[in-house]
Amino acid sequence: MDALRGRSVLVTGGSRGLGLLLARQCKARGCAVTVAARDGDELDRAVGLLGRGTPGAVTGRVCDVRDAEAVRTLVAGTAREQGGLDVVLANAGVIQVGPAEAAGPDAFRDAMETMFFGALHTSLAALPYLRDGEGRGRLALIGSVGGLIPVPHLVPYSCAKSAVAALAEGLRTEHAALGVSVTEVHPGLMRTGSHLRAEFAGDARREYGWFATLAGLPLLSMDAERAAERIVAAVERRRPRLVLTPAARLGARAHGLAPVLVSRADAGVARLLPDAPANGADGHRRRTGAEIDAGRGRWQRALSALNERAAGRFNETAGQGARSTR
């Protein structure tokens, strides 16, 4: 844990969910941490949560990572206030669930702008500072197993995360000789409570039902605090790549060895999921999980109980109309 002690850290998408837990792990290591997110009220709550119990300073900064100039201002201000910048964790994201046809082009555009271009803007703004740091900088881009294996009814998300994976690998090869480590992180399902912030298209209620249930099952999903600890440890050790959860590792390996077979299995899964509605553009309307949640049945709530508790602990429940950042 001494490798990061006293370092300056920036976490985008750091106001809740995985980003909040990454910031907490860095703060526990004695880092000066800046968390960035779009929603100022949510950010204030996050800073309050992070300010309890462990050493290290925490600063909140409002920033939309889709805006390259705003990201440059964020990075420069963080480096100025903290005497440099040593570690950057690019975590900001959105989750859209539903058939690609129902999601429509705006969902793909939103996913790419937030997750891919957000990671790109953050990386390009931060790399000059990371190269100049006396401790040799560390950059981590949070991808997903969905970027390694295209997932039915998560196609916008998978497209953006696959681009993040390519970006991380490309930046790692270009900066290996410059002293900057780049870690690509591909989590599987984690119990962060993000089902309440995800957006659902098509038959939104049924889409929400399967997603919220699977995201909270212990055998398929991972404890988010454990995931955050492993991610920060990987960044400390300058690991090039981390895939989290046994199911995600198995799926990624299977896809690498037999992509056609995995694609056929995915097609079988897709047949079990809700069909796209036949109402044209009206099907592109997206609803958040929080809007849908009130009508869930008792058995569905029981299956996702761990995820429901995580939502309350990781700042996912207040202001549920806001966008998802995992």
Side-chain angles (χ1 to χ4, degrees):
M1 290 178 65
D2 290 338
L4 297 185
R5 190 167 301 281
R7 302 296 183 188
S8 166
V9 178
L10 171 63
V11 183
T12 66
S15 61
R16 52 187 160 90
L18 179 62
L20 178 73
L21 295 174
L22 293 173
R24 183 179 293 168
Q25 285 288 329
C26 292
K27 184 174 182 291
R29 287 158 167 78
C31 300
V33 181
T34 294
V35 291
R38 299 182 201 178
D39 188 305
D41 292 339
E42 187 175 89
L43 201 54
D44 289 342
R45 289 192 299 272
V47 171
L49 289 169
L50 291 167
R52 301 170 186 166
T54 57
V58 180
T59 302
R61 279 180 166 267
V62 175
C63 180
D64 186 340
V65 296
R66 298 172 299 181
D67 183 338
E69 184 58 37
V71 174
R72 284 191 290 268
T73 300
L74 166 71
V75 170
T78 301
R80 183 176 60 253
E81 291 175 5
Q82 297 182 173
L85 187 58
D86 303 301
V87 181
V88 174
L89 308 178
N91 171 74
V94 294
I95 302 173
Q96 302 117 323
V97 185
E101 182 182 357
D106 285 346
F108 285 84
R109 189 174 296 109
D110 192 17
M112 290 298 294
E113 288 181 352
T114 301
M115 290 183 282
F116 172 66
F117 282 103
L120 177 65
H121 297 330
T122 302
S123 300
L124 295 182
L127 282 167
Y129 296 93
L130 297 177
R131 287 195 298 268
D132 292 343
E134 61 182 38
R136 297 186 304 132
R138 294 168 168 86
L139 173 65
L141 304 187
I142 309 300
S144 169
V145 68
L148 305 177
I149 311 169
V151 179
H153 289 223
L154 284 165
V155 179
Y157 182 83
S158 286
C159 287
K161 289 298 190 180
S162 65
V164 170
L167 175 64
E169 188 167 347
L171 292 178
R172 182 168 65 247
T173 58
E174 290 185 358
H175 288 79
L178 301 176
V180 177
S181 62
V182 180
T183 301
E184 56 177 299
V185 181
H186 301 293
L189 290 169
M190 294 175 294
R191 296 187 293 275
T192 63
S194 61
H195 62 294
L196 294 175
R197 304 299 189 111
E199 297 177 340
F200 298 85
D203 189 340
R205 189 169 297 281
R206 291 180 62 201
E207 296 287 355
Y208 179 76
W210 75 259
F211 182 82
T213 299
L214 292 182
L217 287 180
L219 294 179
L220 287 179
S221 62
M222 183 177 187
D223 176 79
E225 290 176 300
R226 173 62 176 153
E229 191 280 328
R230 289 192 59 188
I231 292 168
V232 174
V235 174
E236 280 182 310
R237 297 166 188 162
R238 299 183 183 275
R239 286 185 59 179
R241 192 171 190 258
L242 177 67
V243 181
L244 288 172
T245 78
R249 288 194 294 272
L250 177 62
R253 289 170 184 166
H255 189 265
L257 293 171
V260 174
L261 184 61
V262 172
S263 180
R264 287 174 178 167
D266 280 349
V269 171
R271 292 188 183 97
L272 303 176
L273 298 176
D275 294 330
N279 57 350
D282 289 343
H284 299 338
R285 187 173 75 89
R286 288 175 272 167
R287 299 167 61 193
T288 66
E291 293 177 283
I292 302 167
D293 187 69
R296 297 181 71 209
R298 182 180 300 177
W299 68 270
Q300 289 179 319
R301 291 185 182 279
L303 288 173
S304 61
L306 291 175
N307 217 11
E308 301 290 339
R309 288 198 290 270
R313 294 166 57 204
F314 306 147
N315 204 25
E316 295 278 10
T317 52
Q320 288 174 348
R323 303 297 305 283
S324 171
T325 54
R326 269 194 308 279

